[in-house]
Amino acid sequence: MTYSVLVGLPIADRRTSCDFYRAVLALEPFGAPADDGVPEPLQFALNDGMRLMLIPTGGFGWVIGDRRVAAPGDSECVLSLDAADSAAVDAMIDRARAAGAKVVTEPGSQPWAYAGAFEDPDGHVWMVAASTEP
């Protein structure tokens, strides 16, 4: 059995996050726009079976109950994207930096891949990696 996956991330500002994901990941949100011009809910298709939903922190509590949203800079998970090669890793990290992201790990060779990582505007860490294996 396979499942569709929706990754929900808490955010502070819908417009800031929408613009960031458009600039860095070249994703377009889908859905009917709300009063602020940003689709509600704010979602991006990552591939055929996976979507990213960016949820204002206040609304995130509907899902997580009485748990607290992690503070910026606290990471409970790392989201990882595959890249075709080291040049693609470098290009995405450069786009993230240009969009105002903090680069957490500069791109470079690791024993398992060529990789780098950045934070989105809300402190969620994204790693971009290209396998070094043939």
Side-chain angles (χ1 to χ4, degrees):
M1 175 174 265
T2 61
Y3 296 95
S4 293
V5 176
L6 175 84
V7 174
L9 298 177
I11 60 169
D13 183 79
R14 290 167 33 84
R15 170 58 59 197
T16 298
S17 293
C18 183
D19 292 347
F20 181 84
Y21 281 90
R22 279 179 160 159
V24 177
L25 301 182
L27 296 172
E28 284 300 319
F30 62 88
D35 292 341
D36 61 1
V38 175
E40 175 59 37
L42 178 53
Q43 296 184 77
F44 300 92
L46 298 176
N47 61 36
D48 288 339
M50 183 169 223
R51 292 179 295 152
L52 173 64
M53 183 184 294
L54 303 176
I55 306 164
T57 303
F60 208 72
W62 295 344
V63 177
I64 64 172
D66 62 356
R67 297 175 55 129
R68 289 180 299 151
V69 173
D74 291 345
S75 297
E76 294 179 339
C77 70
V78 173
L79 302 153
S80 184
L81 299 169
D82 290 334
D85 54 29
S86 60
V89 172
D90 292 340
M92 187 171 294
I93 295 295
D94 288 345
R95 286 194 308 273
R97 190 184 328 267
K102 174 184 175 188
V103 175
V104 176
T105 305
E106 289 292 338
S109 293
Q110 304 295 331
W112 43 271
Y114 183 88
F118 62 89
E119 284 185 357
D120 75 2
D122 296 283
H124 305 294
V125 177
W126 287 83
M127 179 177 69
V128 185
S131 175
T132 54
E133 297 181 15

